[in-house]
Amino acid sequence: MTRLLTLLLALFALTLPARAADDISAASRSVVRVVTVAMMDGEVVGFGHGSGIAISPTRIVTNAHVVESAARYPGNVALGVVPSEGQKSYAGKLIAIDTARDLALVEITEGRLPAAAIYTGPLESGADVVALGYPGNVDLATARSANDYITPRTPTRSEGNMSNIQTVDGVAMLIHTAKISRGNSGGPLVDQCGRIAGINTAITRADDGDSPFAFAIAGRELMRFLADADQQYTSVGTPCLSMAEADARSRAAIDAEARADAEANAAKNAAAKLDRELREARAEDEALAARENRIALAGVLFVIGALAAGAGLMFYGQKNMRKAKIAGGTGVALILVAAVLFATRPDAHAEIAEEAAKTPAADAPKLAQGSLLCTIRPDRSRITVSATTDVPISIGKGGCVNGRTQYTRGPDDRWQRILVPNEEATVTVASIDSAGRDYRVERYLLDAETMAKARETRAAVTLKSCTADPDELAGLAAQQDAIRSALPGTPNERLVYRCQPATGAAATSPGD
């Protein structure tokens, strides 16, 4: 049965095309069209739309001017949210509005969206940026009916460069060259990692041949607005690196660690060698002293025995047979003891061998078990959408992590578990090396179709807890291989943690 399941999963994986991870495409799945519909006496009397981006699974940021009519006439203007994927749109509810900053927060009453992260680091002049949204001029060229405005569709992307930051009416604005038009209002300006750098809000006129520029509300203004609205969000402050750059930095860090480990091992080996030589010298001295003492004692006893034997001969000549027997017997006994002591004298090198045998052999590598506290390694990570707090984990016997999640032996002598959630459009590959020092989390931000197929593959094996059953472990390993083979060649995010033993930590694992 296990072999059949393995074959079916492998064949199913072949139907899933592996593509390269694209951070901008991942960010696009968080972009929505925000629609306002004005009603009077049951008839539509007005229609407008802009763009927005999800900063939580159920809440969207957009421009205040996009939804201002809904704020003014809540009884007559309905809000709608059209995601970039799926088959349906959702009703929206205005949660907060700040006309000074031109920002608003809208909540969807059903459904969930992939949330984007806000970039909190510096954005240098000349940095590449991308505007995402639903420009009205593209709609005019492609829409054939009003229904096209409420049908999920991938947003339009426009690339440009960051110019500078200027204050307009007391609000920090990013000036950039990504082309936007009416309809882009409320949509995000993202960096190359797909993090929100700003919210597009306006453009300059291009009269008399002037070059157009665009304005986006700066990320710091967005975060202040969200804080005022008591809205939580994910923020990332690390610079945007390509996966190739992140891999290069990781290799450099690994090489540096390897050199440090080699130097430490060399020093340790030198110290061990010196200690061994000292112990050998001490053992040799002790063995030589014991040998010499034994020989000296044998010599003394031999001399005394010889003197006693001579005394016995003397008493024998005097016809004193009693004393002759005592002296002669004593002399012979002492000579025999001396001969035994000399014959059994210690070998000068025997103790050295015994001391060498006492040197402990290196322990064979063992699977790490117990509680660990894992801390992010920014120099070896590519951080795009996730928080980087410390991760406490607990590894039990047979790959049981945190007492409930079964890991299996994967490539490169690592234990791994691939997590496919029901709600989030993210596949997470969590793995740890057998020494328990290197914990790694790789996240793939996938489109709805690929996620659906990954969930279908996951459903083939429903292992909800740890197990030692060989058939269940084989089925889980086959399932994990099938899911991995369908993932893009590189993840959108790679978090690398350094782990150390910890006690009393509450264990959690990303994706559990």
Side-chain angles (χ1 to χ4, degrees):
M1 178 64 182
T2 299
R3 291 181 179 178
L4 177 59
L5 175 61
T6 302
L7 178 60
L8 290 175
L9 288 172
L11 291 174
F12 181 78
L14 294 177
T15 67
L16 301 178
R19 299 179 297 277
D22 180 0
D23 296 319
I24 305 301
S25 293
S28 295
R29 291 189 280 275
S30 300
V31 178
V32 300
R33 187 195 296 271
V34 179
V35 177
T36 58
V37 181
M39 306 287 292
M40 186 68 70
D41 298 329
E43 294 187 3
V44 176
V45 296
F47 178 87
H49 88 274
S51 303
I53 187 164
I55 44 82
S56 85
T58 58
R59 290 193 171 180
I60 296 103
V61 169
T62 186
N63 279 151
H65 72 257
V66 172
V67 297
E68 194 168 10
S69 61
R72 287 186 178 182
Y73 312 104
N76 298 97
V77 178
L79 278 177
V81 174
V82 186
S84 60
E85 292 185 318
Q87 302 297 322
K88 62 182 298 186
S89 302
Y90 306 107
K93 180 173 65 174
L94 186 61
I95 299 299
I97 188 167
D98 184 339
T99 55
R101 290 194 177 98
D102 195 18
L103 291 171
L105 187 64
V106 175
E107 183 178 63
I108 55 176
T109 56
E110 62 174 318
R112 291 175 64 88
L113 299 167
I118 300 174
Y119 176 55
T120 60
L123 198 61
E124 302 294 336
S125 295
D128 294 331
V129 290
V130 178
L132 297 171
Y134 296 94
N137 50 7
V138 173
D139 288 330
L140 290 174
T142 59
R144 294 296 176 265
S145 68
N147 190 57
D148 290 336
Y149 289 91
I150 57 174
T151 299
R153 191 176 69 194
T154 301
T156 300
R157 67 166 72 180
S158 175
E159 299 179 356
N161 300 101
M162 169 68 179
S163 176
N164 55 24
I165 299 179
Q166 295 191 22
T167 301
V168 179
D169 295 330
V171 178
M173 295 281 186
L174 307 181
I175 314 301
H176 64 89
T177 61
K179 292 181 174 61
I180 62 175
S181 68
R182 294 178 180 85
N184 277 107
S185 293
L189 182 73
V190 301
D191 68 1
Q192 292 298 300
C193 283
R195 288 93 60 98
I196 303 171
I199 299 297
N200 288 309
T201 186
I203 56 175
T204 61
R205 291 182 177 273
D207 298 335
D208 300 324
D210 292 340
S211 297
F213 285 89
F215 293 80
I217 303 163
R220 64 173 181 256
E221 300 284 359
L222 172 59
M223 290 186 288
R224 288 169 185 160
F225 165 72
L226 295 174
D228 291 342
D230 293 327
Q231 175 61 51
Q232 294 184 343
Y233 57 89
T234 300
S235 63
V236 178
T238 54
C240 179
L241 300 175
S242 68
M243 189 57 76
E245 291 171 329
D247 287 342
R249 290 206 327 179
S250 180
R251 285 192 298 269
I254 292 173
D255 291 343
E257 290 176 3
R259 288 193 296 270
D261 289 344
E263 292 174 358
N265 288 335
K268 182 179 179 181
N269 292 337
K273 180 180 179 181
L274 178 60
D275 180 67
R276 184 172 62 254
E277 290 175 349
L278 289 174
R279 286 190 290 105
E280 289 177 353
R282 184 167 59 250
E284 186 173 358
D285 291 342
E286 291 174 354
L288 184 60
R291 176 185 174 88
E292 290 176 349
N293 290 338
R294 184 76 64 88
I295 292 173
L297 179 60
V300 169
L301 293 177
F302 181 81
V303 170
I304 294 174
L307 291 175
L313 290 175
M314 183 185 69
F315 289 132
Y316 180 78
Q318 295 174 354
K319 307 298 183 179
N320 190 340
M321 301 306 294
R322 180 174 176 275
K323 290 185 177 180
K325 290 180 179 180
I326 293 173
T330 301
V332 171
L334 290 174
I335 290 172
L336 289 174
V337 171
V340 171
L341 289 175
F342 183 82
T344 59
R345 65 192 185 278
D347 187 349
H349 301 288
E351 294 296 328
I352 299 175
E354 292 176 7
E355 284 294 321
K358 294 177 183 179
T359 303
D363 293 334
K366 295 180 180 179
L367 175 65
Q369 294 187 35
S371 296
L372 303 173
L373 184 63
C374 304
T375 304
I376 193 68
R377 290 288 307 271
D379 57 334
R380 293 185 55 193
S381 302
R382 183 180 193 249
I383 306 167
T384 60
V385 297
S386 299
T388 56
T389 54
D390 291 350
V391 178
I393 62 175
S394 177
I395 303 178
K397 185 177 180 181
C400 182
V401 175
N402 298 337
R404 61 184 181 275
T405 305
Q406 181 65 53
Y407 280 44
T408 60
R409 184 64 60 88
D412 302 328
D413 197 30
R414 299 182 67 87
W415 286 8
Q416 70 170 9
R417 182 63 185 267
I418 301 179
L419 305 167
V420 185
N422 288 324
E423 298 292 342
E424 298 179 8
T426 304
V427 169
T428 298
V429 179
S431 66
I432 189 166
D433 69 328
S434 59
R437 295 179 59 190
D438 182 273
Y439 182 63
R440 190 178 304 164
V441 177
E442 295 181 328
R443 289 195 170 91
Y444 297 80
L445 310 181
L446 304 176
D447 59 87
E449 180 182 358
T450 305
M451 281 301 306
K453 292 179 179 178
R455 292 182 182 117
E456 186 177 346
T457 305
R458 181 203 59 190
V461 177
T462 56
L463 186 62
K464 299 296 185 181
S465 61
C466 295
T467 182
D469 183 88
D471 287 338
E472 290 183 337
L473 290 174
L476 177 62
Q479 176 207 62
Q480 303 284 281
D481 289 342
I483 296 174
R484 179 180 276 278
S485 66
L487 296 176
T490 57
N492 294 91
E493 181 176 66
R494 177 182 293 145
L495 308 179
V496 180
Y497 297 82
R498 170 59 59 84
C499 300
Q500 294 180 341
T503 56
T508 59
S509 180
D512 284 359

